[in-house]
Amino acid sequence: TLSVTGILGLTGSQTISGDLDVDGHTNLDNVSIAGVTTAAGAIDLNADLDVDGHTNLDNLSVAGVSTFAGAITANGSIDLNADIDVDGHTNLDNVSISGVTTTAGAVDINADLDVDGHTNLDNVSIAGVTTATGKIDANADVDVAGTLDVDGHSELDNVNISGVVTA
């Protein structure tokens, strides 16, 4: 048993083959630990932390930039309270958007588009059959390049016909 009061100065390598119990502040310049380390209180690291292998973190708070070199897997919800910037292809299985959505490029929709409410379309090109179940209100000229087939009553205020008319 060694009992020291005051400063103990040792030089060279020291081997302690039993437990080391230190009460009070301990300043260790270089520590190498082989085995399990348990900390009962907070650990304050003021430099990089390099972890090789699996790390289980129950609660992680990151202040600053985080860089991930591999895939990120989240088995629960992700709540982002700011912008998300994605470079490259992004595959989203189910997207619900509340608010304005702006796209800088083309939008390619390979299924039905269901729009409820007012829709303002500046230029529409339709290939295929178009069915309107309500009134069509054209506030400018209408150019029909093919046959116009009207079933039912038609009210024409001003008619200018060039060509053959059969009544």
Side-chain angles (χ1 to χ4, degrees):
T1 300
L2 174 65
S3 177
V4 177
T5 302
I7 297 175
L8 173 63
L10 301 173
T11 58
S13 297
Q14 306 301 316
T15 301
I16 299 173
S17 59
D19 291 344
L20 177 62
D21 185 0
V22 178
D23 296 326
H25 177 78
T26 303
N27 187 352
L28 304 172
D29 294 333
N30 191 344
V31 178
S32 176
I33 300 171
V36 176
T37 301
T38 302
I43 298 175
D44 186 3
L45 298 174
N46 293 311
D48 292 343
L49 175 64
D50 185 4
V51 178
D52 296 325
H54 176 78
T55 303
N56 186 353
L57 304 172
D58 294 333
N59 189 343
L60 177 64
S61 177
V62 178
V65 175
S66 299
T67 303
F68 299 91
I72 299 171
T73 301
N75 293 319
S77 297
I78 297 175
D79 185 4
L80 300 174
N81 293 316
D83 294 344
I84 182 170
D85 183 3
V86 177
D87 296 327
H89 176 78
T90 302
N91 187 357
L92 304 172
D93 293 334
N94 189 345
V95 178
S96 176
I97 300 171
S98 61
V100 175
T101 301
T102 303
T103 61
V107 176
D108 186 5
I109 300 173
N110 294 314
D112 293 344
L113 177 62
D114 184 4
V115 178
D116 296 325
H118 176 79
T119 303
N120 186 355
L121 305 172
D122 294 333
N123 188 347
V124 179
S125 176
I126 300 171
V129 175
T130 302
T131 303
T133 58
K135 178 181 175 183
I136 297 175
D137 187 0
N139 293 313
D141 295 342
V142 176
D143 184 5
V144 178
T147 302
L148 178 62
D149 183 3
V150 178
D151 295 327
H153 176 77
S154 296
E155 186 174 317
L156 306 171
D157 294 335
N158 187 351
V159 178
N160 182 357
I161 300 174
S162 62
V164 177
V165 176
T166 304

